[in-house]
Amino acid sequence: MKPKLTLKKIAKELEVSISTVSKALRDSPEIGEETREKIKAFAKHYNYKPNNIALSLKNRKTKTIGIIIPEIVHHFFTTVISGVEKVANEMGYNVLVCLSDNSFDKEVLNMEMLANGSTDGFILSLAKETMQKGDYHHLVEAINQGMPLVLFDRVVEDISCDKVIIDDVTGGKKATQHLIDIGCKKIALISTVDYVSVGKLRTKGYKEALEENGIPFDEDLVLRIEKMEDSESEIEQFLMDKAIDGVFGVNEHFAISAIKTIKDQGKKVPEDVSVIGFTDGELSKRFIPSLTTISQHGMRIGEESARLLIEKLERTPSEEEYYKTIIVETGLVIRKSTKSKK
Amino acid sequence: MKPKLTLKKIAKELEVSISTVSKALRDSPEIGEETREKIKAFAKHYNYKPNNIALSLKNRKTKTIGIIIPEIVHHFFTTVISGVEKVANEMGYNVLVCLSDNSFDKEVLNMEMLANGSTDGFILSLAKETMQKGDYHHLVEAINQGMPLVLFDRVVEDISCDKVIIDDVTGGKKATQHLIDIGCKKIALISTVDYVSVGKLRTKGYKEALEENGIPFDEDLVLRIEKMEDSESEIEQFLMDKAIDGVFGVNEHFAISAIKTIKDQGKKVPEDVSVIGFTDGELSKRFIPSLTTISQHGMRIGEESARLLIEKLERTPSEEEYYKTIIVETGLVIRKSTKSKK
DNA sequence: TACTGCGACGAAAACGTTTTCGTGTTGAAA
DNA sequence: TTTCAACACGAAAACGTTTTCGTCGCAGTA
């Protein structure tokens, strides 16, 4: 085990000064051709690589960005990471991944860990607990310390920073419109309680689509689920003997539970009832019938977030502050859980 | 935006020397009580946090570990990360995640990036391309430089380092045995080509189980798939009109494709044919019928890997070298795609 | 009074870089 | 011969810590 080669060792070996070595390796014209070549040859031969930590300390940049997500065992987040990684790598950045586990405390802890020099900036999706609590002091602090921050997906209005979100209203509208387009008249909505912003917005899209098509909104066709754990049984009860021909579930989970229930009742999907979901995962793709869904393009969200962050990191500090919010379009992925157009 | 507080600034502000501040904050008895308290109060009030990068440089440890995986959009790897994160955090380590995309070059690149001071050690699962190529010089180099390395899941024999694997043979055997236990006589195997070690080992388990139960091995009942892309059609052809009552797919994908095909042929799962898979993801859980499967306990693999790595990192260098291989037991998760015991 | 010891603090080196600012040598111009 | 620029290189500071080794003043002892 050879201890890593440093400038100092090269200098000693070649009997020149450290500065000469540094300059030679960076092709400075200050150094005579002969010496330069000698040093470069030596460095190459012994595979010298500058120490990142020293560079970070010197330059006051780490060239790594931190991403904090509520959970990783979740297809959406994993695609986001993938997107972040991709553009980060292209730009010469590393990615530090932290998990908040949806806990406020872990989120704060993670930010503190990373804020002390480990990263140049953050990409973050808020923990559920944080949103409930409404305590965002850690975000404000980070920003005040000059740490750029990009919020994605689960964002909060009153923090001024870059944001990347999807248009949930339009997404909900798209979903509902598709059901209408294929001839559904009585469309049930399985959503979350309103304080989960995502559910609220998608519900709004649902209403808008109905209205635009002159279909009256019927509260009886809407189920708002509070706890994920109870969702299956609640959906079962809700759907029991309901005269409907379409269901819009605001996530994969709800949509699939709906399909199960409908099948259990002896009805057919999509012949009798069409079902559409939100979020596109492996499950949607391979379920039987495969699920028509609104896709969130997690990859693009990740890419845009990383781009936004790096842009902030690399701009000269003189430029004035400005914050963008990028809205990533949702897509309609038509599969087998909805009828074809009549 | 206040620029970060440093020891130097505190020292200046309080008109003492840097060393005094440092010592005071670390509760050195060298410093008089009065000064100590004053400094600590000041630091607390202005929320001083030592700069990690400077500490890393000084201590020659970064307190972060790198994990390089072939792909992140994959339930198994994502649970592994989750496990690594968990114990890493408990031990005060950060986790740098890199993706090799199953490419040899990206894997090498990633290792080089991380090896230059960014991390104290690696946790790695080999890229497919790397295994095919059989070129492991980058691993050897890292080890030679004193970088501890833990290989998991996709490991290679001839590198001497810690390893965490599952017992694929026993796993394959368990799966097959379960089919036999519930009364299956003609069990098809859908595996990969033999140079993918995972497929080979699980196949071995399959054979062993048959043998132990006095069932003759029949090459006609085995399908070896080369390319994932073609798997669906190959499975369809293979299963066409085959007289079988059980199928063991060496991954989730194969098992689910098998179920689809079998259903399409008008047979019922599990009444006519029982199907078992390998790896436990969301898909297995929520498919109809939900999939009986051999679970890999990715979480535990991640935890063990991290523990192994950190153990290496924190042991005193005087201790002698030794390498462990931890085998994480597979589990049988019985769901609806296999009959109950007769 | 002179010496010892100790309490309380500071100076400086070290980690590995980059960069600014010398400085010594050479050759040519004056 | 003197002067000066150009060239080639080295010294040192800086990034933010920790730690070793002084050093200074003062009290206690002989």
Side-chain angles (χ1 to χ4, degrees), chain A residues 235-247:
Chain A
I235 290 174
E236 216 176 306
Q237 278 188 27
F238 171 71
L239 252 31
M240 187 60 66
D241 301 321
K242 203 147 258 176
I244 49 169
D245 52 9
V247 175

Side-chain angles (χ1 to χ4, degrees), chain A residues 226-265:
Chain A
E226 174 128 22
K227 282 200 237 145
M228 277 311 260
E229 299 84 59
D230 311 337
S231 62
E232 300 222 9
S233 57
E234 278 198 54
I235 290 174
E236 216 176 306
Q237 278 188 27
F238 171 71
L239 252 31
M240 187 60 66
D241 301 321
K242 203 147 258 176
I244 49 169
D245 52 9
V247 175
F248 168 29
V250 300
N251 59 41
E252 205 173 43
H253 212 86
F254 293 173
I256 281 183
S257 297
I259 293 182
K260 279 191 188 170
T261 303
I262 292 167
K263 277 181 163 181
D264 286 351
Q265 292 176 23

Side-chain angles (χ1 to χ4, degrees), chain A residues 3-13 18 21-22 25 42-43 46-51 54, chain B residues 60:
Chain A
K4 267 251 160 200
L5 199 54
T6 68
L7 287 186
K8 196 192 277 192
K9 287 177 196 153
I10 300 183
K12 196 180 205 176
E13 202 65 36
I18 298 183
V21 179
S22 175
L25 293 178
F42 186 93
Y46 290 103
N47 193 28
Y48 167 78
K49 293 273 166 52
N51 178 312
Chain B
R60 273 106 146 270

Side-chain angles (χ1 to χ4, degrees), chain A residues 17 19-20 23 30 32 35 58:
Chain A
S17 79
S19 8
T20 305
K23 286 172 193 162
E30 265 189 77
T35 338
K58 182 105 240 287

Side-chain angles (χ1 to χ4, degrees), chain A residues 57-283:
Chain A
L57 184 57
K58 182 105 240 287
N59 304 330
R60 277 108 144 269
K61 331 197 148 165
T62 60
K63 281 276 187 179
T64 103
I65 71 193
I67 173 168
I68 303 180
I69 53 175
E71 46 192 331
I72 196 173
V73 188
H74 194 305
H75 187 265
F76 171 66
F77 286 120
T78 201
T79 53
V80 174
I81 296 186
S82 193
V84 170
E85 250 276 334
K86 187 172 152 226
V87 346
N89 272 13
E90 279 168 13
M91 312 286 281
Y93 283 77
N94 276 323
V95 180
L96 248 163
V97 176
C98 288
L99 275 29
S100 69
D101 257 339
N102 270 317
S103 134
F104 173 76
D105 290 338
K106 272 201 83 180
E107 186 174 293
V108 173
L109 232 59
N110 274 328
M111 288 210 60
E112 281 176 0
M113 279 191 83
L114 302 193
N116 299 320
S118 299
T119 57
D120 295 340
F122 292 107
I123 294 176
L124 173 71
S125 187
L126 291 166
K128 219 176 277 173
E129 210 187 333
T130 307
M131 302 201 71
Q132 247 167 261
K133 227 172 161 170
D135 183 349
Y136 307 117
H137 76 278
H138 50 306
L139 306 187
V140 178
E141 261 175 39
I143 294 173
N144 280 344
Q145 293 193 1
M147 275 269 187
L149 171 66
V150 176
L151 249 33
F152 76 91
D153 197 50
R154 297 209 207 136
V155 309
V156 55
E157 272 307 321
D158 34 308
I159 299 289
S160 52
C161 67
D162 287 326
K163 285 161 198 153
V164 179
I165 52 175
I166 64 161
D167 188 341
D168 281 297
V169 178
T170 308
K173 205 160 151 185
K174 256 187 206 169
T176 314
Q177 187 63 52
H178 180 246
L179 290 176
I180 294 172
D181 285 348
I182 59 175
C184 296
K185 305 289 181 202
K186 299 203 55 121
I187 301 172
L189 169 69
I190 304 177
S191 182
T192 63
V193 284
D194 266 0
Y195 62 72
V196 178
S197 70
V198 162
K200 186 173 172 184
L201 295 172
R202 292 175 193 170
T203 301
K204 189 171 172 217
Y206 165 81
K207 286 185 190 167
E208 285 183 15
L210 290 185
E211 193 174 347
E212 281 181 16
N213 289 271
I215 301 178
F217 171 71
D218 180 357
E219 189 64 45
D220 282 349
L221 291 181
V222 178
L223 172 65
R224 287 167 219 268
I225 287 176
E226 174 128 22
K227 282 200 237 145
M228 277 311 260
E229 299 84 59
D230 311 337
S231 62
E232 300 222 9
S233 57
E234 278 198 54
I235 290 174
E236 216 176 306
Q237 278 188 27
F238 171 71
L239 252 31
M240 187 60 66
D241 301 321
K242 203 147 258 176
I244 49 169
D245 52 9
V247 175
F248 168 29
V250 300
N251 59 41
E252 205 173 43
H253 212 86
F254 293 173
I256 281 183
S257 297
I259 293 182
K260 279 191 188 170
T261 303
I262 292 167
K263 277 181 163 181
D264 286 351
Q265 292 176 23
K267 293 194 237 171
K268 288 192 170 172
V269 179
E271 290 81 354
D272 300 323
V273 184
S274 286
V275 178
I276 190 166
F278 214 107
T279 281
D280 192 28
E282 194 66 14
L283 192 51

Side-chain angles (χ1 to χ4, degrees), chain B residues 126-143:
Chain B
L126 290 166
K128 217 176 278 174
E129 211 188 331
T130 308
M131 303 202 71
Q132 247 166 262
K133 229 173 160 168
D135 182 348
Y136 308 117
H137 76 276
H138 50 307
L139 305 186
V140 178
E141 261 174 38
I143 294 172

